[in-house]
Structure formats: C-alpha cells, structure tokens
Amino acid sequence: MSISRRQFLKSSAIATASSALPLSLTLPSNAFAAGSDDYKALVCLFLYGGNDSFNMIVPAAGANYDNYVNARPDIHLSAAEMLSIPPTASGQATAINSSMPNIAQLMAEQKATAVVNVGTLLEPTNKGNINSVRKPSNLGAHNKQQSAWQIAWNTSEYHSYGWAGMMMDLLANEAATVSESLSLSGNELLGGQSSQDLRISSDGVRAMDALGHSNAVNNNFIKLVDQPYGSLFSQEYISRLKGVIDFQAELDSVMNNFPEDETIPASYLGSQCRMVKRMIQASEQLNHQRQVFFISLGGFDNHGNQRGKHDNLLAQIDSALSAFYRSLEAEGLQDKVVTFTMSDFGRTIANNSNRGTDHGWGSNQLIIGGAINGGMTYGVLPEFIPSYGQDATGNKFIPSTSSEQMAATLCKWFGLSDNSVDYIFPSLNPANDNPFPNRYLGFLGDATQPPAIPDKLVVASVSASETRADHTPEMAVDGDSATKWTAKGVGITFTLELTQMAKLSEIKWSQAKGDVRQYFIDIAVSSDGINYSPVSSIVTPGTTTGLVSNPINASDVKYIQLTCNGNNDPDRADLRTWNNFQEIEVWGS
C-alpha cells in the first residue's frame, strides 16, 4: 500500500466527513487562511493538576511583592529565588522563578514571554460584575476546567470539539500523509469534527493503534499477514491488513531520516519534545503545512509541601523547553514553531496550612518562539490580596484576560481569519453585549489591534444572467423578504456590485423554501467585474427561510458573483433547477 493510496483513503474520509460539517466549516481552507505557503507548528504543553503559576511568574518588587509575601508566608520566593523578566505594559515589575534560568534568558532575548492572570471566562469579569455575568461552571473541578481550556464556549454551552481541532477542520489539508494533529497524551484540544489527532509516542508513529500496544501484538500481526489463508474474503481482509504493515514501513523509513536530538534532555517531558522535533523535521515528507502537537506533564496538584516538588517540575519545564527551542534555532525553525502552556487553573492566592495551595482560577502561562513579540509581559499582574483585594473572589484571582483570547491569538498567527476566529470563539466577537476589549493579545504576529467591526455594505447594483419579469434581481436587495428574484436553470449568475472596494467578512442570504430544500451556490469575487476568483462552494443547510451566514475572507472586492445551480427539492424533480434569493446582505469593512 503506497503513501499515495493512503492519501487517497484519507482524502475520501475527509470528503465524507465534510458533508456533515456546519456550513462555515464546508468552506475551503483558503477562504479562512491568511496565507498557506509557509510551514507553522503549535506545541501545547498541558500541565495537569493546576500549576501554581503565581510561584512561577511573580511580582518582583514594591507593594505587590509585599502583598505576595504576606499571602504566602510559607512558600513565597525570596529575592534570591527570582530572576527579573520584562515588565507588563503598565510597567509592573515582574520576575520568574529561579528554577527557570533558561526561559528567563529567552525572555531577555525576546524569544519568550508570559501571559499573566489568564483564565476561563465567558465575558469580561471583575469584582464589580462577578455576580451578574456568566461564568464557567465547576471552576474548581480538574476535569471541567481542563476541558474549558481546550474547548471554546459556544454562546450557551461549550463546543463539541477542541478549539485546535476546529482550527484544523478549517485548515484541512487533504494531501497530508497522516493527521497534522499529533498527540503524545490524551486530550480534548485536538479533536475536530473532521480532523482527529494521531496518537504518537516518544518511540514513533504507528499506522494502526494496535501496533503500538506491545511488540508481541506487532509480531503476531506481521505473522498473520505473512500467512494468508481461508476464503477469498479472508484473504482480501488479510491483504488490507498487510497494507497497514507496508504503510508502517514507509512511515518508519521517513522517521528514520530524523534521529532523536540528544541536545534535548531525555526526561519525561524532554523525550516528548524530542519526538515533536522529529515530526517537525519530517513535515515536508509527510506533506504537512501546519502541525499541532499536544504534550503534557503532571504532578501539579500540590496541596501540601509544595515548594520542592513544584520547583523541580519548573526546572524540568525549563530544561526541556529551552533545549527544544535551541534545537529548532539550530535548524533555522525557531520562527516557525510556537510552544505554549495551559493548565487546569491557577492556585489560591494565599497558601494553606499545609504549605501548599488549593484550586484557584486565574493563572500565568508561558509562550516561547522566535515569532513572538517579546520584550514585555502580557496582561496585568493582579493585586496579591485574598478576599477583599480588587482582583479577588474569595481566595482566587479573577482572571483579567480570557484563555480564549490567548487561544485566538495563536489561531490568528496560524492562519485563521477574524471571521473564523469568531466562529470558534463567539465569546470574543466585538459585537457582543459585553465585549472583551479585543480578540487578540498581541504576543504574536500583527494581532496587536482589535480588527474593525464588520458593517453592512451598500450594494450599488445587481444583475442576473436569467430572470423573470416579476421577480427581478433588485428584489433580492430591496429589504423586503416578501419579494424575491427567481430564475430557472443551472449555472445562472447573480452579480452584486458594491459602491466601493471592500474587505469582505460574510455574505448572508435568505431563500424561499430554504427550510425544505438545500441550494447549491458557488461564490466568486472580483475587483474589476471581469476577472473573478472562486471563494467557496456552498450547500445551504435546508433548515430555514431566514438569513444564512456564509463567511468570506477576501480583500479588494467590488463585485460578488453567485453562481446558482438549483436545489434538491425532496418532492418534485421538475422544481430542482429553480433558484431564488429573497434577501442578500454583504458584510465587511
């Protein structure tokens, strides 16, 4: 079984799954991606148990350092146990635990940064509105908060899929030999509707999960396929299994070109980083343009005798992630890869009577990569006072930054448009009643300013290649859903001209019988009305006669051409070549 055959099967699976996706996920990746020619990778390090990140990143001086010492008399860092790092945008002096000298050096080189007091939020929350705004449920529960970091909020409940999995749905690469989502640990982050993560280990990649369980399983599997017997059905079945073995051999031949990088420590975390490095090096041979990795480290739920255990864990993170970055730097890959941390939650403001900390809310996270905008710490260090402190709810910090803003910044750098970021993270939409100040945090790329809120654009004129005298094109833009344009045929074009050049974010339309039929429409755009570029092929949901949103990411557009290809009327074949628009709206800036 050749890799090309494997690619064919993988592409077929993607095509089959895509028919079940929501409308916006059926758009091709170039409708969402800002650019698709350059390789990029994200590496998520999840710290299981709830990292006490306020003993990782701390206030360095002044009244807030005194507050920190008073709140944590048994576990605070002394001045000798801290290393200075760049301050926050507001000038707050900030330090990192001295167990992390290498990451401190990367911060000094502007190759790493921290996001402070970030946590799971549904809308901006502070001490004044905490009792009136929506908040995530089960704030102290490990499993629920692990999920909340990995799965975005979808208006009234969490999505069914991880935010990185949804991102990879939108950036689907049918040419990939194996999945571009790669995990060395169980997770919810990478699961998408059509994209699924491939479980790998520090030892390699397995074409079939069973092959990775043990050498005995693997040897018996090979023995079975080497001795075909039985009925024609059995022999064909064994032939298919042999294809898995052949494909595994091809995978092994690819991975053998990239031995482990022994400059990365052989610790538990370091071994995972070694494998990630190999997969990054193999990306071109695996036809990967984007890769997302999930690695993990546990042991952070320290309710007692925390300092020694916690400092040792931070030291392991420091040595592994810094060596991983330096190894990428040696290959010229440092600008292509961003590593970031996540954890269940932060810990309590004050230490407990057992010299540990309990479950908190707000936390601090690390971001490492050559592409980051370093030289500062992102966010605002909270006032280190429990209960009555301005940033406290009881003994927990109220996050001032949403974990979804941090995730959206990563997605934006990875290639998603603002419109697709809003699809994954609707809580960040600037049009919300209680909006966050921006979608992005600015630590990556050019995502430093909130994008313009889309407006409804003015249509200067409309035309159609076919029409009826009493159902003209103008009726589709007259603001009256009781009137409509109609025409019979396949390949009929409906063209809208805008009053001026615009950047498009979406086009909405409503259609008669849209609640019982699906309509088939191709969208193309042009700046001159002559040369059109295809954007997407739409199959409408068939569940509503109201406006249906179709995301578009296109700039310098003055003309939009909708090619109408009929419908799938469930009852009458003679009506399947009819097309109509009741109302059309174009949105952008």
Side-chain angles (χ1 to χ4, degrees), residues 77-133:
L77 303 179
S78 68
E81 296 171 315
M82 302 187 301
L83 299 170
S84 179
I85 61 174
T88 65
S90 62
Q92 294 171 297
T94 310
I96 191 170
N97 190 305
S98 60
S99 297
M100 310 186 90
N102 296 298
I103 290 178
Q105 178 59 35
L106 289 177
M107 290 180 171
E109 296 174 19
Q110 301 189 22
K111 304 303 182 186
T113 189
V115 180
V116 295
N117 201 22
V118 55
T120 55
L121 295 172
L122 307 185
E123 54 187 303
T125 304
N126 54 52
K127 198 166 186 79
N129 70 5
I130 191 167
N131 294 321
S132 59
V133 298

Side-chain angles (χ1 to χ4, degrees), residues 138-220:
N138 305 111
L139 282 174
H142 288 290
N143 60 338
K144 297 298 183 181
Q145 291 306 293
Q146 289 164 11
S147 295
W149 270 90
Q150 298 177 59
I151 300 174
W153 180 256
N154 184 22
T155 308
S156 61
E157 61 184 356
Y158 283 98
H159 282 295
S160 301
Y161 310 102
W163 60 258
M166 294 180 71
M167 175 180 70
M168 297 307 283
D169 283 338
L170 296 173
L171 297 173
N173 174 14
E174 297 181 14
T177 303
V178 295
S179 175
E180 294 175 298
S181 301
L182 302 148
S183 60
L184 287 95
S185 175
N187 70 93
E188 296 173 89
L189 179 69
L190 303 183
Q193 184 163 351
S194 58
S195 66
Q196 295 296 323
D197 58 316
L198 175 66
R199 183 71 180 268
I200 61 178
S201 72
S202 299
D203 298 325
V205 184
R206 293 299 178 189
M208 193 171 80
D209 183 61
L211 301 181
H213 289 322
S214 70
N215 288 331
V217 170
N218 195 34
N219 292 337
N220 287 332

